[in-house]
Amino acid sequence: MLEPKYVTPDSVQSQLRPRRKRGTYHRHSEEPPMDRMHHRRNSPYFFLVLLLFLSSPCLRTCAEVISLTEETFADKVKEKDTIWFVQFCVPWCKYCKNLGTLWEDLGKAMEGEDEIEIGQVDCSLNKPVCTKVDIHSYPTFKIFYDGEEIAKYKGPREVESLRQFVLDEAEKAARVKLEAE
């Protein structure tokens, strides 16, 4: 005859996995967790994933918009026969934030247009540039040709409106140049 088994706290505790104490290593590893993470960071797979991420299209979407600095602004906007449509902004401005990807989208839309460049100046980092071109509110959109400001955009903040504006201004600048020659 079989004796019935009774469940007691001791019998239940013996069937459970032992608890790990704080600061002990993972049960399958003999090295501390931080060493395992360090090992992963130095593995070739980590660098491969990092390389794929850095070359992904989501990071290249901003490639059409050129960041201009105090060192590069004057030379870039003076480029011969090149129209520069430049956004002046600051990171803390809610209106600049509300634009979202508008400027990057414009850069994509203008891709392939000869002699029209889309630029951006962060006025919090490049105050001398913004002071020189008389920026008092954000965001401000200006067009430069041969180093001179030729227009300031005050229309709707939509890609197609911005695109049409810069194309119209480029056409006007080309006509003025032809008449001068």
Side-chain angles (χ1 to χ4, degrees):
M1 183 163 152
L2 293 172
E3 285 186 18
K5 283 192 169 182
Y6 296 99
V7 178
T8 64
D10 291 334
S11 66
V12 171
Q13 189 67 31
S14 68
Q15 297 299 315
L16 297 176
R17 280 192 249 171
R19 293 176 118 188
R20 285 188 291 146
K21 294 180 184 172
R22 244 185 191 174
T24 59
Y25 305 143
H26 189 271
R27 63 189 166 140
H28 297 295
S29 172
E30 294 175 1
E31 53 187 36
M34 291 307 289
D35 288 348
R36 284 194 330 269
M37 289 304 293
H38 179 72
H39 176 70
R40 284 186 195 142
R41 231 179 302 138
N42 289 331
S43 74
Y45 297 112
F46 175 79
F47 292 109
L48 179 62
V49 169
L50 182 64
L51 179 66
L52 289 173
F53 175 75
L54 292 175
S55 64
S56 71
C58 66
L59 288 178
R60 282 187 268 136
T61 59
C62 299
E64 293 83 17
V65 177
I66 299 168
S67 289
L68 301 172
T69 65
E70 187 176 352
E71 293 79 27
T72 62
F73 181 80
D75 292 336
K76 290 289 187 182
V77 298
K78 287 179 185 175
E79 287 178 352
K80 187 170 173 57
D81 297 330
T82 301
I83 295 278
W84 277 88
F85 195 14
V86 182
Q87 174 193 33
F88 297 89
C89 59
V90 288
W92 48 261
C93 169
K94 74 176 185 177
Y95 302 107
C96 297
K97 289 178 186 178
N98 288 343
L99 293 176
T101 61
L102 175 72
W103 210 242
E104 287 81 13
D105 295 343
L106 175 64
K108 285 182 198 174
M110 296 305 295
E111 198 173 28
E113 292 290 337
D114 289 338
E115 298 163 354
I116 297 176
E117 297 288 345
I118 307 299
Q120 185 173 35
V121 175
D122 182 343
C123 291
S124 66
L125 300 174
N126 302 288
K127 287 183 184 182
V129 171
C130 298
T131 302
K132 182 178 178 183
V133 295
D134 201 32
I135 303 298
H136 297 288
S137 61
Y138 306 107
T140 298
F141 309 98
K142 291 189 175 188
I143 294 185
F144 297 87
Y145 182 68
D146 287 337
E148 299 291 322
E149 178 186 331
I150 60 169
K152 183 175 179 179
Y153 181 75
K154 294 182 180 180
R157 293 175 180 176
E158 301 164 348
V159 173
E160 191 50 43
S161 299
L162 291 161
R163 183 179 178 281
Q164 194 58 52
F165 176 75
V166 73
L167 290 172
D168 292 345
E169 292 300 322
E171 187 178 318
K172 287 179 195 174
R175 260 189 269 130
V176 168
K177 184 177 179 182
L178 283 174
E179 290 171 3
E181 291 177 349

